[in-house]
């Protein structure tokens, strides 16, 4: 019996975080937030925005590819595939300016990803690798909107 390619497994599982037995999606989102925090500590705000946009774009493309390669082995929307959560949490992190806002971005993203309101559930029901990614992209957009409103209300 054949096995999925190692590179698809590494990318799809968020460098192995998808194998975490208690909340693999959260583990992937935490890793992505940690990566962002590492970049935040080293890059200027402009370079951080560019790097985050590049991460979102690149991982959406390679994540869709990896998911398509893993679906024949693991099913339509395998819990071990968490690259979608990584991309999703980077979206609200685009407007974060520090660790407190990064934590809020992570929590808001996971809330929208788990509850799946406002069309997220409809995207989640669609079949195909792109749709595995799409519901988390929308959850990230909603989390970004909420984070922006929180920043406006509480001030930065």
């Amino acid at each position: 019996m054949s096995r999925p390619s190692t590179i698809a497994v590494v990318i799809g599982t968020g460098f192995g975080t998808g194998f975490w037995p208690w909340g693999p999606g959260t583990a992937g989102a935490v890793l992505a937030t940690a990566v962002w925090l590492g970049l935040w500590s080293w890059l200027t705000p402009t370079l951080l925005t560019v790097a985050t946009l590049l991460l979102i774009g690149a991982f959406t493309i390679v994540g869709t590819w990896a998911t398509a390669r893993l679906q024949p082995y693991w099913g339509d929307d395998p819990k071990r595939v968490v690259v979608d959560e990584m991309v999703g949490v980077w979206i609200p992190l685009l407007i974060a300016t520090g660790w407190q806002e990064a934590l809020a971005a992570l929590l808001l993203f996971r809330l929208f990803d788990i509850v799946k309101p406002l069309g997220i559930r409809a995207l989640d029901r669609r079949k195909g690798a792109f749709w595995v990614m799409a519901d988390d992209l929308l959850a990230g957009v909603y989390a970004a909107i909420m984070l922006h409103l929180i920043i406006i209300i509480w001030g930065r």
Side-chain angles (χ1 to χ4, degrees):
M1 181 172 191
S2 64
R3 295 174 31 194
S5 76
T6 301
I7 191 71
V9 172
V10 169
I11 292 168
T13 64
F15 304 94
T17 57
F19 292 111
W20 181 255
W22 305 285
T26 300
V30 167
L31 172 65
T33 304
V35 167
W36 184 89
L37 285 167
L39 294 172
W40 168 73
S41 68
W42 288 96
L43 299 177
T44 65
T46 301
L47 286 178
L48 178 61
T49 299
V50 170
T52 306
L53 286 168
L54 289 172
L55 286 169
I56 291 167
F59 275 83
T60 297
I61 293 166
V62 298
T64 301
W65 170 84
T67 301
R69 297 303 176 275
L70 295 171
Q71 284 177 322
Y73 300 94
W74 295 350
D76 287 332
D77 191 1
K79 298 296 178 211
R80 288 179 278 194
V81 171
V82 299
V83 66
D84 50 333
E85 277 85 5
M86 294 175 67
V87 172
V89 78
W90 282 325
I91 293 172
L93 286 169
L94 278 169
I95 62 170
T97 60
W99 71 266
Q100 298 95 335
E101 291 174 8
L103 178 60
L106 172 64
L107 295 174
L108 287 166
F109 168 73
R110 288 305 291 151
L111 174 69
F112 281 106
D113 187 32
I114 292 166
V115 176
K116 299 190 184 312
L118 305 169
I120 298 171
R121 186 167 312 281
L123 293 179
D124 187 53
R125 290 184 184 130
R126 309 251 346 230
K127 302 292 183 204
F130 173 75
W131 301 108
V132 171
M133 302 293 293
D135 71 299
D136 292 279
L137 293 170
L138 186 55
V141 168
Y142 290 153
I145 292 167
M146 288 301 300
L147 181 59
H148 183 67
L149 291 173
I150 290 168
I151 290 168
I152 289 170
I153 291 168
W154 283 341
R156 188 172 269 170

